[in-house]
């Protein structure tokens, strides 16, 4: 008797009527698993290069150019690129770049663009420690770089780990200098030293976790050799400045016009005896950036025009010209529409607004997966698990869904329908128990244009830590899910 025949009537009914997500590894065969692992290798390679929002966008731009994407719009040139041909047609691929920190990849579809665009939007920024604008000090003959943390961090996680510095400095001659220290094995790194346990009794151990590390004490150790001159007051600081000047031609005042960030120096690596997971810095949200970008690259020309949209500043509220609250996407769609309608002269502000209103967007951001050590913060029936596929989230927010983009049931239904029809492993997952805390994504900022938006991304354990954890199976199914959305939605 086969397994199916041995099932009782109610067992069969249970299978038919009840919902449960599946573990991908349990379901999938050897060939698929091979692809999952191969995609994981490519992702680790990307993540190792994408240590900041600027480096992430740089990687995306480089790959887009390699794939033949043309320049449609670049804010560094302050306007649409006139070298782009006016007769855009189905299958044409373009990129639009905004200040090196925000990029869109566009593939023109077969249908009229005003019927709506399919957008997958992810963010390239991740929590980190930004150097202050006047960062360099000396204390007890140790040179320190002062920081101001960026995004939601648990401060204690950033102590005693190797940190690298990456970013740009604009010099007094208005030239841009790129700085990267700590990624190569031969590079030095930076460390914020914690207090030894022997002496931490009063200063730390009796305090709340939120309070025992002060924001003002997140200083990177940056040098200890003084210049040999008794007449100089801060000898170690001067020696550090001398070295920076020699290597990069910068002065102390140049820090004021700099964006330098301290990020974990550790490489992404396989986690677990079975190598099923990847540990690394910045999965939130570079994992969705990678899935969005590679899926638009690999997607067949579709009915709808498709956009992979990579934004900055999500971790601090999406404000600023490179964040999701900026009108860059609105202007970009306007620029595309204008080119497509040049011959007929149909372009209008109203048509642009209607195009946005008929568009559908996947807000591709990570979700908090169940951590076996801290299950109590989740409602297990409404939480995601590692290796159960891409996570659909109807709403985020906090304290009674406040500040959430609550995706319409109709939209959730449509996405669920196309995922099921195309063999995508997906699961439902919300943020946590009611009143446990909360958070948001860029979903609501794209919904501002009357675009239908749903959150759908990769489950992560240890989110916002210097070494977050994802499953390779979920990563691969995020890629397939976005590809299906681009091609079939
Ligand atoms: Mn995120
Ligand atoms: Mn985040």
């Amino acid at each position: 008797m086969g397994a199916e025949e041995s099932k009782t009537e109610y067992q069969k009914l249970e299978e038919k009527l009840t919902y449960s997500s599946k573990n991908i590894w349990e379901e999938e065969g050897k060939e698929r698993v091979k692809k999952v692992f191969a995609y994981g290798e490519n992702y680790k390679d990307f993540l190792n290069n994408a240590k900041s929002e600027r480096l992430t966008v740089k990687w995306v731009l480089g790959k887009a150019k390699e794939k033949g994407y043309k320049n449609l719009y670049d804010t560094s040139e302050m306007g649409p690129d006139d070298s782009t041909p006016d007769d855009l047609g189905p299958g044409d691929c373009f990129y639009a770049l905004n200040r090196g920190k925000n990029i869109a990849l566009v593939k023109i579809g077969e249908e009229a663009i005003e019927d709506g665009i399919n957008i997958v939007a992810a963010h390239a920024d991740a929590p980190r420690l930004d150097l202050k604008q006047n960062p360099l000090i000396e204390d007890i003959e140790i040179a320190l770089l002062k920081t101001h943390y960026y995004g939601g961090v648990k401060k204690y996680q950033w102590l005693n780990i190797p940190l690298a510095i990456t970013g740009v400095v604009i010099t007094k001659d208005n030239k841009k200098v790129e700085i990267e220290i700590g990624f190569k094995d031969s590079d030095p790194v930076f460390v914020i030293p914690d207090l030894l346990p022997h002496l931490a009794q009063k200063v730390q151990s009796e305090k709340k976790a939120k309070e025992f590390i002060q924001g003002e004490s997140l200083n990177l150790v940056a040098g200890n050799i003084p210049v040999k001159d008794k007449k100089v007051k801060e000898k170690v600081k001067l020696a550090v400045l001398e070295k920076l000047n020699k290597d990069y031609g910068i002065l102390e005042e140049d820090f004021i016009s700099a964006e330098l960030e301290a990020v974990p120096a550790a490489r992404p690596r396989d986690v677990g005896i079975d190598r099923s997971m990847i540990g690394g810095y910045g999965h939130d949200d570079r994992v969705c950036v990678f899935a969005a970008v590679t899926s638009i690259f690999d997607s067949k020309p579709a009915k709808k025009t498709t956009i992979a949209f990579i934004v900055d500043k999500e971790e601090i509220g999406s404000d600023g010209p490179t964040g999701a609250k900026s009108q860059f996407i609105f202007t970009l769609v306007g620029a595309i529409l204008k080119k497509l309608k040049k011959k007929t002269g149909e372009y209008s502000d109203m048509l642009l607004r209607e195009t946005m209103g008929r568009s559908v967007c996947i807000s591709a951001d990570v979700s908090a997966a169940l951590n076996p050590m801290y299950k109590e913060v989740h409602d297990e029936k409404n939480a995601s698990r590692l290796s159960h596929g891409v996570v659909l989230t109807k709403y985020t927010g906090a304290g009674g869904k406040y500040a959430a983009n609550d995706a319409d049931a109709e939209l959730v239904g449509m996405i669920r329908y196309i995922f099921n029809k195309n063999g995508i492993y997906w699961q439902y997952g919300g943020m946590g128990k009611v009143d446990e805390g909360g958070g948001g994504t860029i979903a609501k900022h794209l919904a501002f244009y009357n675009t239908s938006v749903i959150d759908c991304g990769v489950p992560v354990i240890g989110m916002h830590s210097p070494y977050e954890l994802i499953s390779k199976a979920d990563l691969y199914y995020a890629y397939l899910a976005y590809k299906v959305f681009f091609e079939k939605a």
Side-chain angles (χ1 to χ4, degrees), residues 123 125-127 152 284-285 314-315 365-366 440 463-464 468:
H123 67 92
D125 62 318
D284 177 12
D285 186 31
E314 191 274 345
E315 298 294 356
D365 206 345
V366 297
M463 198 195 293
H464 283 206
E468 302 170 320

Side-chain angles (χ1 to χ4, degrees), residues 305-319:
T305 290
T306 53
I307 298 180
F309 188 48
I310 311 305
V311 295
D312 180 29
K313 298 285 182 283
E314 191 274 345
E315 298 294 356
I316 56 168
S318 296
D319 292 298

Side-chain angles (χ1 to χ4, degrees), residues 33-47:
V33 168
K34 229 176 173 176
K35 283 187 181 164
V36 167
F37 278 101
Y39 190 79
E41 290 305 305
N42 292 338
Y43 172 64
K44 279 186 288 176
D45 198 46
F46 154 81
L47 194 62

Side-chain angles (χ1 to χ4, degrees), residues 19-30:
Y19 161 72
S20 63
S21 59
K22 295 190 175 82
N23 184 308
I24 297 167
W25 304 108
E26 240 181 292
E27 301 293 317
E28 280 299 351
K30 268 187 192 157

Side-chain angles (χ1 to χ4, degrees), residues 433-477:
K433 270 186 184 164
V434 176
D435 289 337
E436 194 70 46
T441 64
I442 60 170
K444 59 182 172 181
H445 308 308
L446 286 138
F448 172 78
Y449 299 103
N450 193 27
T451 297
S452 299
V453 191
I454 181 166
D455 283 292
C456 174
V458 175
V460 173
I461 287 181
M463 198 195 293
H464 283 206
S465 78
Y467 217 67
E468 302 170 320
L469 210 56
I470 59 156
S471 151
K472 288 180 183 174
D474 297 327
L475 164 66
Y476 188 65
Y477 272 91

Side-chain angles (χ1 to χ4, degrees), residues 213-225:
I213 307 293
Q214 298 297 312
E216 285 292 345
S217 65
L218 292 175
N219 300 330
L220 315 177
V221 166
N224 188 222
I225 303 177

